[in-house]
Amino acid sequence: HVQLVESGGGSVQTGGSLRLACTAPGYQYIGNCIGWFRQAPGKEREAVARIFTGDGATYIADSVKGRFAISQDNDKTTVSLQMNDLKPEDTAMYYCAADWGAGETYCRDTYLAYARPGGQGTQVTVS
């Protein structure tokens, strides 16, 4: 089990930007399929973005489309979530999760429904 670490959260004003990072310390590769999730107090966990590191194919949830973007670095050790034009409703704890062995189809069609983020998360607060 690879322990992922999320970072980059903080407090910003409405309209501001943050860039979150998901890494796997001690590993040379973060995994085939990476998802970003968020959970606000009293609300269900929401999948906001996903990337298949094999070809860079991405998914962005409708709730954040046009404002958030997911990307990977060239050596596939870090997956970032760029968040622009932040709104108060984006306030949540943000988590990432990874599947090392996921194929493209599983990553695209299934992964987000079954992923179980296990890190500490990083808090994003928008006021």
Side-chain angles (χ1 to χ4, degrees):
H1 177 72
V2 179
Q3 185 66 48
L4 301 179
V5 175
E6 303 92 345
S7 62
S11 296
V12 297
Q13 293 187 336
T14 297
S17 297
L18 286 172
R19 187 175 181 87
L20 307 185
C22 176
T23 61
Y27 290 85
Q28 300 296 318
Y29 178 59
I30 194 170
N32 286 359
C33 187
I34 316 300
W36 275 102
F37 305 82
R38 66 185 181 185
Q39 188 163 20
K43 295 188 177 181
E44 292 188 357
R45 188 186 70 185
E46 177 187 12
V48 295
R50 179 217 66 225
I51 188 167
F52 181 66
T53 58
D55 61 5
T58 63
Y59 159 83
I60 302 293
D62 287 343
S63 59
V64 300
K65 193 167 290 183
R67 301 188 297 120
F68 288 18
I70 187 170
S71 62
Q72 59 183 339
D73 65 351
N74 289 336
D75 61 6
K76 300 181 182 179
T77 61
T78 301
V79 169
S80 299
L81 184 69
Q82 177 67 42
M83 306 187 298
N84 299 324
D85 190 23
L86 284 161
K87 307 175 184 298
E89 53 264 40
D90 296 318
T91 295
M93 187 70 80
Y94 284 71
Y95 303 89
C96 62
D99 187 319
W100 274 40
E104 181 180 7
T105 301
Y106 178 83
C107 183
R108 181 188 65 220
D109 297 340
T110 307
Y111 177 65
L112 292 181
Y114 292 95
R116 293 293 179 265
Q120 296 289 326
T122 187
Q123 177 68 39
V124 172
T125 303
V126 186
S127 60

